[in-house]
């Protein structure tokens, strides 16, 4: 309850929030302030949200998928009603439960959006990203029964003090709100076993593909190829100058292969598939060099035939989900140092615009017209 919190400023009892009531029903509602004291975790703090990114997984939740469960648990789990979406956020700490976190009040932070149990086999063996007891912002995961499940499409959002990272003054809240996807990109690149001196390929040049390309270059890849049919994604990648960009909107598979062979005549050392279709898998495997790794970032529930001969010469396919917590400070240090660039990604929006945008974008995802929506909940 509010009276149990140590606060920096008056905290309202009700707040506006973007609530996923049910599939394809996103509503802006006035909901009760988050009952931090009722969650049973003294480390919880309250963030006054300054910016929240719209993740591609949010659109999947909107249409009825549960990408967290599909990637982490390997199965479909129905979504609870009344999830407040939003897990890519940054803001100011305005309330805490424990005096040990009182020093955080007023700090500009980028919070890690989840907390693992720390006790299961996965957590104890360095695989905490696969913890089945994860409590997750914006996903409805791990909170038990709630009237509204916490997320950051809202004026305020909970976080855990131990995993709130203070951000440098020169980093904007909007840039800091990209930290979740950047940490994911670090883990994805690690899964792809970047080989210094070899080029990499991302199939899909959206935020995940773009971010992975930047991280791979920071890890020593010789060059990055980015393949996409979205004009927005292609133009942003070209503007950033982060790699060899191929617009495949009107290309056959043979023409794509010819274009990519210019950059990697012997194949790529790592290929990252952010699309997850039979076609993208075929293009990805055809692009793999010897002893190379293909990482699938978009697990879908569908059967895809595979000729195992195409994986000869020690080629391999892996998936990737979430990130390890050591990936987060690494990504933040690269963002603060200017090695990761996200300013070109962002299109600002408001809470009130979200329902219409979600309907429009999921109705015709190929023509969504924006690269990365960032919500300012206060306008």
């Amino acid at each position: 309850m509010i009276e149990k919190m140590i606060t920096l400023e008056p905290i309202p009892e009700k707040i506006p929030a973007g609530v996923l009531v049910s599939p394809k029903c996103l509503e802006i509602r006035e909901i009760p302030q988050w009952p931090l004291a009722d969650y049973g975790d003294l480390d919880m703090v309250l963030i006054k949200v300054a910016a929240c990114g719209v993740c591609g997984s949010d659109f999947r939740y909107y249409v009825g998928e549960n990408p967290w469960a599909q990637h982490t648990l390997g199965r479909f789990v129905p979504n609870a009603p009344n999830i407040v979406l939003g897990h890519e956020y940054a803001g100011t700490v305005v309330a805490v439960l424990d005096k040990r976190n009182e020093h955080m009040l007023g700090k500009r932070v980028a919070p890690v959006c989840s907390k693992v149990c720390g006790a299961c086999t996965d957590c104890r063996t360095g695989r905490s990203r696969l913890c089945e007891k994860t409590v997750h912002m914006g996903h409805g995961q791990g909170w038990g029964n709630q009237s509204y499940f916490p997320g950051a499409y809202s004026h305020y959002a909970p976080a855990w003090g131990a995993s709130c990272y203070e951000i440098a003054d020169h980093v904007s809240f909007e840039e800091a709100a990209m930290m979740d996807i950047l940490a994911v990109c670090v883990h994805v690149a690690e899964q792809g076993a970047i080989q210094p001196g070899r080029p990499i390929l991302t199939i899909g040049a959206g935020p995940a593909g773009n971010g992975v390309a930047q991280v791979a270059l920071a890890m020593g890849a010789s060059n990055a190829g980015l393949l996409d049919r979205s004009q927005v994604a292609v133009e942003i990648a070209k503007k950033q100058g982060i790699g060899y960009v191929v617009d495949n909107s009107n290309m056959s598979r043979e023409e794509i292969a010819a274009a990519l062979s210019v950059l990697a005549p012997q194949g790529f050392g790592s290929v990252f598939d952010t699309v997850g279709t039979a076609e993208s898998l075929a293009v990805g495997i055809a692009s793999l060099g010897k002893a190379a790794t293909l990482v699938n970032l978009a697990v879908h529930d569908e059967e895809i035939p595979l000729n195992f001969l195409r994986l000869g010469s020690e080629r391999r396919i892996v998936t990737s989900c979430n990130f390890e917590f050591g990936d987060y400070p690494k990504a933040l240090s690269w963002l603060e140092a200017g090695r990761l660039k996200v300013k070109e990604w962002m299109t600002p929006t408001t809470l009130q615009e979200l329902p219409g945008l979600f309907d429009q974008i999921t109705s015709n995802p190929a023509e969504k017209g924006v690269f990365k929506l960032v919500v300012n909940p206060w306008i």
Side-chain angles (χ1 to χ4, degrees):
M1 304 300 291
I2 293 174
E3 60 268 20
K4 295 182 181 180
M5 297 190 293
I6 304 168
T7 61
L8 179 69
E9 58 188 51
I11 305 298
E13 293 186 353
K14 292 189 175 182
I15 52 175
V19 182
L20 183 61
V21 179
S22 60
K24 296 190 177 181
C25 181
L26 179 65
E27 296 181 357
I28 308 304
R29 291 184 176 180
E30 189 175 71
I31 68 171
Q33 181 61 266
W34 305 109
L36 293 195
D38 294 347
Y39 294 142
D41 189 340
L42 284 176
D43 189 45
M44 298 210 78
V45 303
L46 189 67
I47 307 297
K48 188 173 186 177
V49 179
C52 182
V54 176
C55 180
S57 68
D58 293 346
F59 296 116
R60 294 177 67 181
Y61 281 103
Y62 178 77
V63 299
E65 291 189 65
N66 185 332
W68 182 87
Q70 288 166 236
H71 282 263
T72 308
L73 307 179
R75 64 179 185 271
F76 175 75
V77 175
N79 293 316
N82 296 336
I83 298 174
V84 176
L85 293 177
H87 58 277
E88 301 178 346
Y89 62 120
T92 304
V93 179
V94 292
V96 303
L97 289 176
D98 196 309
K99 283 187 175 293
R100 288 175 295 182
N101 284 336
E102 198 168 0
H103 68 282
M104 298 179 64
L105 291 172
K107 299 293 188 183
R108 301 171 70 248
V109 298
V112 174
C113 64
S114 59
K115 183 175 183 177
V116 298
C117 76
C120 68
T121 300
D122 287 319
C123 285
R124 289 185 286 105
T125 53
R127 302 190 303 267
S128 65
R129 63 193 178 277
L130 301 177
C131 174
E132 296 192 13
K133 297 179 181 178
T134 298
V135 184
H136 210 306
M137 288 288 300
H139 289 3
Q141 169 65 36
W143 296 97
N145 295 322
Q146 301 292 335
S147 299
Y148 292 96
F149 291 86
Y153 288 179
S154 177
H155 280 188
Y156 297 86
W160 293 270
S163 56
C164 281
Y165 286 83
E166 191 170 353
I167 55 178
D169 290 342
H170 70 273
V171 175
S172 69
F173 282 123
E174 291 78 11
E175 291 172 284
M178 301 297 102
M179 272 304 306
D180 183 83
I181 182 63
L182 292 177
V184 167
C185 290
V186 170
H187 180 65
V188 169
E190 290 167 344
Q191 286 289 89
I194 301 300
Q195 300 174 52
R198 295 186 75 179
I200 67 95
L201 171 68
T202 68
I203 301 173
N210 183 300
V212 167
Q214 294 191 56
V215 169
L217 292 170
M219 288 182 171
S222 62
N223 206 337
L226 296 93
L227 180 70
D228 207 309
R229 61 187 60 188
S230 162
Q231 295 305 301
V232 173
V234 166
E235 290 306 314
I236 285 179
K238 288 181 177 178
K239 182 177 181 180
Q240 290 180 305
I242 58 174
Y244 175 78
V245 185
V246 177
D247 176 359
N248 67 316
S249 54
N250 294 299
M251 297 174 70
S252 66
R253 192 182 298 179
E254 292 73 23
E255 289 171 328
I256 291 171
L260 294 177
S261 68
V262 174
L263 178 61
Q266 296 182 343
F268 292 89
S270 307
V271 174
F272 302 93
D273 181 1
T274 73
V275 180
T277 63
E279 179 64 21
S280 63
L281 178 65
V283 171
I285 292 176
S287 304
L288 280 175
K290 293 181 178 180
T293 301
L294 185 150
V295 184
N296 177 287
L297 283 69
V299 172
H300 299 292
D301 186 6
E302 62 177 303
E303 299 291 335
I304 297 179
L306 176 65
N307 183 335
F308 269 91
L309 184 60
R310 300 178 70 190
L311 296 180
S313 300
E314 294 193 348
R315 295 170 174 89
R316 63 176 185 155
I317 299 174
V318 300
T319 62
S320 184
C321 67
N322 310 319
F323 55 84
E324 287 296 322
F325 290 115
D327 298 327
Y328 203 91
K330 181 184 293 185
L332 181 58
S333 68
W334 286 346
L335 177 65
E336 291 180 336
R339 299 182 72 182
L340 301 179
K341 301 180 291 184
V342 296
K343 288 182 180 179
E344 297 87 353
W345 290 10
M346 296 179 279
T347 297
T349 189
T350 67
L351 281 178
Q352 298 301 325
E353 293 173 309
L354 284 179
L357 286 168
F358 268 66
D359 180 63
Q360 170 192 324
I361 289 170
T362 57
S363 296
N364 191 1
E367 301 295 334
K368 70 178 185 177
V370 295
F371 190 80
K372 184 75 172 178
L373 290 168
V374 182
V375 182
N376 180 338
W378 293 89
I379 58 175

